[in-house]
Amino acid sequence: MVAETLPPPIAQSGIGHWFKKHFFSTWLDGVLSLIFLALIIWVVSAVWTWGLRHAIWTVENREACGHGSGACWAVIQDRHRLILFGLYPYEEHWRSTLACLAVIATMVLSCVPLFWTVWRLPILWLVGFGTFVLLMRGGFAGMPLVTTEQWGGLSLTIFIFSAVFVLGTPLAVILAFARRSSLPVIAKTTGLFIDIFRSLPLLTILFAAAVVVPLVLPDWLQGDKLGRVIIGFALFFAAYQAEIIRAGLQSIPDGQVEAAVSLNMPFWSQVVDIQLPQAFRNTLPSTINQAVITFKETSIVTIIGFFEVMASGNAVVGTGEWGQQYVEVYLFLAFIYFVFVFGLSRYGAWLETRMRVGHG
Amino acid sequence: MAEHAISFEKLNKYYGDHHALRDVTLDVDHGETLVICGPSGSGKSTLIRCVNGLEAYADGALSVLGHSVGDDERELEAVRKRVGMVFQSFNLFPHLTVLENCVLPQVRGIKRSRTEATQIAMGQLGRVRVAEHAHKFPDQISGGQKQRVALARSLSLDPDIMLFDEPTSALDPEMISEVLDVMQELTRGNMTIICVTHEMGFARAVADKVILMVDGAIVEQGDPEQMFTVPKHPITQDFMKAVAS
């Protein structure tokens, strides 16, 4: 006996059908959809009116600020240099701009797989960060010396973040391997080190780096306050990142290393060519997560006297002149953070596709 | 040249209380194809993993191509340069293409130029009939193809000895023969081969010698005809009946 063949369901398509299916399939759905639609229209139009239509854009019209119902973006026009450059001398802002571009270019190039070799990355970083420090510091070729106490704004934020990431990542790799060492002394010591750095708040570590370390170290070893803070921050970052990498290493089947050993690949090649790429690939989402957290945590360095972008923003609001415009200033800061964090997430998503995360 | 390609002498190994290898004494001649069979957990894999030092043994002596396999890293390296291995689970590097899987070990291990390594790799991939998949990633090819790539990867390093650790046990039935075919071609050359397998038809066709291991000890050894038709030991008789049914 042959079962009766049913005709295939009629494929319903078109926008009308799609709306009905997703928004109005029951009367409750319909009501909720309408409520949210009204809400969205209200929010968008409010933001539009406040942020664009009634906004005051230029300093010439600043008398209108606070009287009308619009945003006062004049504050950004007037004080964008303070937000972007902090206390860096006004005439030298071009140097800070160039330095900032150098670091951004370095980070972007680091993200390109072409540079992922044992030699290219370190050279790229040396050149990129070298350019940043030389330009920012000056003191040669007619460029006046600007000490790190005067560095500030967005370029300082980006510099701290990228330096922490670039110093912290290799350190994290070393810590991860040391913790898996077959020698108990090394494994236990590393474990203790990681636990200590993870149990201390970042603030404590930065305070110690800025204030306590100079008391115990001899003068010639102290270096610059910014340098110490970056190293302390990098140790903190490395302690977390090491555990992420360790998880990635543990997820690699034993057979991978056995194959590499039996193919007579040298130990460094087993690490660099086989283990690290797979560990990195397996932990990409957590690594991007850690990078985003670190970027946002850079604002903590304010407390030990560095004038990064958040502190610069606060300074703008702190003056009586623009004291009323804190919403605009903080929105602008939020926008800067959003651009970077969103860029990081998009890069992470692109890498995941490219590295085929989740595939055997 | 050493008298035997591989010689095990009273080899013992323990996993905790478990006695994994018991006084294993065995010689493998140059160019010989040896098949090791036996029930699971009998120490077959452990034995061949000792040959290239993936497992350490507790006592006894093991020499491979005149090098003693033990704690000496230099001797181990000399052995690994000449011994290839194919695993049950393929162990291809998933983040590298098929071609790069075969090229990288040559470049890193024996310092061949990339050009030469690529040429050799393509030759070996052709030999095992997967050349057209050279630019795919391991997760894009079938199990049988993966295992043939793993073989090509080992052969690219010109080994004198090949170890096969249950090379077809993880394969779907329809893919077993494509792997056994290329292995059979290999046995016609002068390579020394040790193969742990449950494929008795294959063993009978290609082996010069078959040994049966039970509980870490060699129970019986002989040429395949004798082992398969008139096994002497009662355990061998039972085992042959079991795998034949």
Side-chain angles (χ1 to χ4, degrees), chain B residues 39 43 51 53 56 74 98 104 107 135 147 158-160 162 167 176 195-196 206 218 223 239:
Chain B
V51 174
R74 279 223 215 105
V98 162
L104 193 68
V107 174
H135 296 285
Q147 195 58 298
D158 309 319
D160 298 311
M162 275 300 302
I176 291 177
C195 180
V196 172
V206 305
I218 297 179
D223 65 78
F239 181 77

Short mmCIF file of all heavy atoms in Angstrom, two decimals, chain B residues 39 43 51 53 56 74 98 104 107 135 147 158-160 162 167 176 195-196 206 218 223 239:
data_model
loop_
_atom_site.label_atom_id
_atom_site.label_comp_id
_atom_site.label_asym_id
_atom_site.label_seq_id
_atom_site.Cartn_x
_atom_site.Cartn_y
_atom_site.Cartn_z
N PRO B 39 43.95 -8.87 21.34
CA PRO B 39 42.79 -8.17 21.87
C PRO B 39 43.15 -6.78 22.37
O PRO B 39 44.32 -6.50 22.61
CB PRO B 39 42.32 -9.06 23.02
CG PRO B 39 43.46 -9.95 23.35
CD PRO B 39 44.30 -10.07 22.12
N GLY B 43 48.66 -4.38 24.82
CA GLY B 43 49.98 -3.75 24.79
C GLY B 43 50.56 -3.57 23.39
O GLY B 43 51.71 -3.18 23.26
N VAL B 51 58.91 2.42 20.14
CA VAL B 51 59.93 2.43 19.10
C VAL B 51 60.43 3.85 18.83
O VAL B 51 61.62 4.08 18.67
CB VAL B 51 59.40 1.78 17.80
CG1 VAL B 51 60.40 1.93 16.68
CG2 VAL B 51 59.10 0.31 18.04
N GLY B 53 59.88 6.38 20.93
CA GLY B 53 60.02 7.09 22.20
C GLY B 53 58.79 7.86 22.63
O GLY B 53 58.88 8.71 23.50
N ALA B 56 57.91 5.67 27.29
CA ALA B 56 59.17 5.22 27.86
C ALA B 56 58.96 3.83 28.45
O ALA B 56 57.87 3.53 28.92
CB ALA B 56 59.63 6.19 28.93
N ARG B 74 69.50 12.86 22.04
CA ARG B 74 70.13 12.86 20.71
C ARG B 74 69.83 11.57 19.96
O ARG B 74 69.54 11.58 18.78
CB ARG B 74 71.63 13.05 20.84
CG ARG B 74 72.00 14.48 21.03
CD ARG B 74 73.21 14.83 20.18
NE ARG B 74 74.00 15.79 20.91
CZ ARG B 74 75.13 15.50 21.52
NH1 ARG B 74 75.65 14.29 21.44
NH2 ARG B 74 75.77 16.41 22.20
N VAL B 98 46.12 20.57 3.89
CA VAL B 98 46.69 19.25 3.65
C VAL B 98 48.16 19.38 3.22
O VAL B 98 49.05 18.73 3.75
CB VAL B 98 45.86 18.53 2.58
CG1 VAL B 98 46.62 17.37 1.97
CG2 VAL B 98 44.54 18.06 3.17
N LEU B 104 55.32 21.55 6.40
CA LEU B 104 55.88 22.13 7.62
C LEU B 104 56.87 21.21 8.35
O LEU B 104 57.97 21.65 8.71
CB LEU B 104 54.76 22.58 8.55
CG LEU B 104 55.20 23.48 9.70
CD1 LEU B 104 55.67 24.83 9.19
CD2 LEU B 104 54.08 23.66 10.70
N VAL B 107 60.20 21.33 6.64
CA VAL B 107 60.91 22.60 6.78
C VAL B 107 61.48 22.73 8.19
O VAL B 107 62.62 23.16 8.38
CB VAL B 107 59.96 23.77 6.47
CG1 VAL B 107 60.63 25.10 6.74
CG2 VAL B 107 59.51 23.70 5.01
N HIS B 135 44.90 21.65 -1.18
CA HIS B 135 44.66 22.97 -0.60
C HIS B 135 43.43 23.01 0.29
O HIS B 135 43.02 24.08 0.73
CB HIS B 135 44.59 24.01 -1.72
CG HIS B 135 45.90 24.12 -2.44
ND1 HIS B 135 46.99 24.75 -1.89
CD2 HIS B 135 46.30 23.59 -3.61
CE1 HIS B 135 48.02 24.64 -2.72
NE2 HIS B 135 47.63 23.94 -3.77
N GLN B 147 43.58 9.80 6.52
CA GLN B 147 44.61 8.84 6.89
C GLN B 147 45.67 8.73 5.79
O GLN B 147 46.85 8.54 6.07
CB GLN B 147 43.97 7.47 7.20
CG GLN B 147 44.87 6.51 7.93
CD GLN B 147 45.36 7.06 9.26
OE1 GLN B 147 46.05 8.08 9.31
NE2 GLN B 147 45.01 6.40 10.35
N ASP B 158 61.00 10.79 4.26
CA ASP B 158 61.83 9.64 3.84
C ASP B 158 62.20 8.70 4.98
O ASP B 158 63.39 8.46 5.22
CB ASP B 158 63.14 10.11 3.20
CG ASP B 158 62.90 11.12 2.12
OD1 ASP B 158 61.94 10.93 1.36
OD2 ASP B 158 63.65 12.11 2.04
N PRO B 159 61.23 8.15 5.69
CA PRO B 159 61.59 7.26 6.81
C PRO B 159 62.06 5.90 6.29
O PRO B 159 61.75 5.51 5.17
CB PRO B 159 60.27 7.12 7.56
CG PRO B 159 59.22 7.31 6.52
CD PRO B 159 59.77 8.28 5.53
N ASP B 160 62.86 5.20 7.12
CA ASP B 160 63.25 3.83 6.80
C ASP B 160 62.28 2.85 7.44
O ASP B 160 62.17 1.70 7.03
CB ASP B 160 64.66 3.54 7.33
CG ASP B 160 65.67 4.45 6.68
OD1 ASP B 160 65.65 4.55 5.45
OD2 ASP B 160 66.46 5.08 7.41
N MET B 162 58.26 2.48 9.10
CA MET B 162 56.94 3.07 9.31
C MET B 162 56.20 2.28 10.38
O MET B 162 56.16 1.05 10.35
CB MET B 162 56.11 3.04 8.03
CG MET B 162 56.34 4.19 7.05
SD MET B 162 55.98 5.84 7.72
CE MET B 162 54.27 5.69 8.19
N PRO B 167 45.65 1.82 11.92
CA PRO B 167 45.36 2.92 10.99
C PRO B 167 43.95 2.93 10.43
O PRO B 167 43.50 3.96 9.94
CB PRO B 167 46.38 2.70 9.86
CG PRO B 167 46.71 1.24 9.93
CD PRO B 167 46.65 0.88 11.39
N ILE B 176 38.02 1.75 4.47
CA ILE B 176 39.16 0.99 4.95
C ILE B 176 40.05 0.54 3.80
O ILE B 176 41.27 0.67 3.85
CB ILE B 176 38.68 -0.23 5.78
CG1 ILE B 176 38.06 0.29 7.08
CG2 ILE B 176 39.82 -1.19 6.07
CD1 ILE B 176 37.47 -0.77 7.96
N CYS B 195 52.87 -2.93 11.88
CA CYS B 195 51.49 -2.48 11.80
C CYS B 195 50.65 -3.20 12.85
O CYS B 195 50.62 -4.43 12.90
CB CYS B 195 50.95 -2.78 10.40
SG CYS B 195 49.25 -2.28 10.18
N VAL B 196 50.00 -2.40 13.70
CA VAL B 196 49.03 -2.97 14.63
C VAL B 196 47.69 -2.89 13.94
O VAL B 196 47.27 -1.81 13.51
CB VAL B 196 48.99 -2.14 15.93
CG1 VAL B 196 47.85 -2.62 16.81
CG2 VAL B 196 50.31 -2.22 16.66
N VAL B 206 49.97 -9.19 3.33
CA VAL B 206 51.22 -8.43 3.24
C VAL B 206 52.27 -8.81 4.28
O VAL B 206 53.45 -8.49 4.09
CB VAL B 206 50.98 -6.91 3.34
CG1 VAL B 206 49.97 -6.46 2.31
CG2 VAL B 206 50.54 -6.52 4.74
N ILE B 218 54.19 -11.49 24.19
CA ILE B 218 54.03 -12.12 22.89
C ILE B 218 53.70 -13.60 23.13
O ILE B 218 54.45 -14.31 23.78
CB ILE B 218 55.32 -12.00 22.05
CG1 ILE B 218 55.60 -10.51 21.78
CG2 ILE B 218 55.18 -12.77 20.75
CD1 ILE B 218 56.86 -10.27 20.98
N ASP B 223 55.01 -17.07 10.51
CA ASP B 223 54.59 -16.47 9.25
C ASP B 223 53.07 -16.55 9.17
O ASP B 223 52.44 -17.37 9.84
CB ASP B 223 55.28 -17.16 8.05
CG ASP B 223 54.86 -18.59 7.92
OD1 ASP B 223 53.75 -18.82 7.41
OD2 ASP B 223 55.63 -19.47 8.35
N PHE B 239 41.69 -16.62 19.37
CA PHE B 239 41.69 -15.27 18.80
C PHE B 239 41.38 -15.31 17.32
O PHE B 239 40.60 -14.52 16.81
CB PHE B 239 43.05 -14.60 19.04
CG PHE B 239 43.11 -13.19 18.52
CD1 PHE B 239 42.51 -12.15 19.21
CD2 PHE B 239 43.75 -12.92 17.32
CE1 PHE B 239 42.56 -10.86 18.73
CE2 PHE B 239 43.80 -11.63 16.83
CZ PHE B 239 43.20 -10.60 17.54
#
